[in-house]
Amino acid sequence: AVSCDQLTEGMLASNGPDPALFSLSQAASLGAVDAFLSHSWHDDPPAKWAALQVWREQFKAEHGGREPLLWLDKVCLDQTNIKESLQCLPVFLSGCNQLLVLAGKTYLTRLWCIVEVFVFLAIEGKSENLTIRSLVDASDGHGSLRELVEQFDSSKVTCARPEDKDRLLGFVEAGFGDLTTFSQEVQRRLMKACWTEHWQSAV
């Protein structure tokens, strides 16, 4: 895990490997990490950073000023052994108290984002442990995040490495029976989050 005050906006701007960042991480026991940070590398970095800082300040206000501990792949995965580290994704997610989603216009189109949601659902993540911060501005022509959720189709997601798409979607399909069922479950969970106190817009 990494303390939120150790992060910078630049760390949310590029998914290029930086093994030196691993030194910022610290060992944490299951349940000691406040949030698993899920975001798309293709969404606007300043918007993600601003949303994270709003969430961070609210967390500190509710926890006596304590900095939140986060799990962020770029910092917490050993970049020199990333394939093996990613196999532990279920453990990383289950060890976090909530899934914090910074959802911009590309979030629901990125395969790894959807895999993170899948794992969260597969380990029986509760809706109250799902926090969504919307980065979507409906005025820019992309519609609201709610509309993007309604249009979500897991068969249309993309991946930086095309060879990973079939393998990972097969993994999701095996867990839910078929991609249509999975898409509906993602829509249901995210729409429910829209109707709870966790739904807050960062714009």
Side-chain angles (χ1 to χ4, degrees):
V2 61
S3 179
C4 201
D5 60 353
Q6 295 293 306
L7 301 180
T8 66
E9 182 177 332
M11 294 178 189
L12 300 181
S14 169
N15 64 348
D18 185 352
L21 293 179
F22 189 61
S23 65
L24 298 177
S25 65
Q26 57 185 277
S29 58
L30 291 177
V33 182
D34 298 299
F36 183 107
L37 181 58
S38 180
H39 69 103
S40 167
W41 292 108
H42 296 263
D43 282 331
D44 183 54
K48 290 188 291 187
W49 180 250
L52 177 60
Q53 295 310 305
V54 170
W55 176 86
R56 173 193 176 198
E57 291 304 320
Q58 291 178 339
F59 180 94
K60 289 169 63 177
E62 295 170 0
H63 295 81
R66 178 174 70 82
E67 284 286 345
L69 274 178
L70 299 179
W71 193 94
L72 175 63
D73 52 3
K74 189 169 184 176
V75 179
C76 300
L77 284 179
D78 183 356
Q79 299 291 321
T80 64
N81 195 12
I82 194 167
K83 183 176 181 180
E84 182 175 319
S85 295
L86 284 172
Q87 293 176 347
C88 296
L89 183 62
V91 177
F92 297 142
L93 254 171
S94 63
C96 299
N97 295 326
Q98 64 175 291
L99 177 64
L100 172 60
V101 174
L102 305 182
K105 61 187 179 183
T106 75
Y107 183 84
L108 289 172
T109 71
R110 306 305 302 174
L111 180 55
W112 272 113
C113 295
I114 302 309
V115 167
E116 290 169 357
V117 173
F118 161 73
V119 174
F120 175 77
L121 297 177
I123 60 177
E124 299 183 354
K126 298 178 180 178
S127 296
E128 56 264 33
N129 295 332
L130 172 61
T131 300
I132 302 177
R133 295 301 169 97
S134 173
L135 313 179
V136 179
D137 183 354
S139 66
D140 69 2
H142 292 281
S144 67
L145 183 58
R146 179 174 295 211
E147 290 173 318
L148 295 180
V149 172
E150 291 173 344
Q151 298 164 9
F152 171 67
D153 182 346
S154 58
S155 68
K156 297 180 180 180
V157 296
T158 57
C159 186
R161 297 179 56 184
E163 63 270 24
D164 287 343
K165 182 175 181 178
D166 290 341
R167 176 174 60 86
L168 290 172
L169 285 181
F171 175 62
V172 170
E173 192 170 17
F176 279 83
D178 58 70
L179 293 181
T180 298
T181 300
F182 173 68
S183 296
Q184 292 171 344
E185 183 64 8
V186 170
Q187 289 173 321
R188 185 183 72 82
R189 292 292 191 102
L190 294 183
M191 289 300 288
K192 185 174 182 179
C194 294
W195 301 329
T196 69
E197 62 183 353
H198 297 292
W199 178 263
Q200 299 187 46
S201 176
V203 295

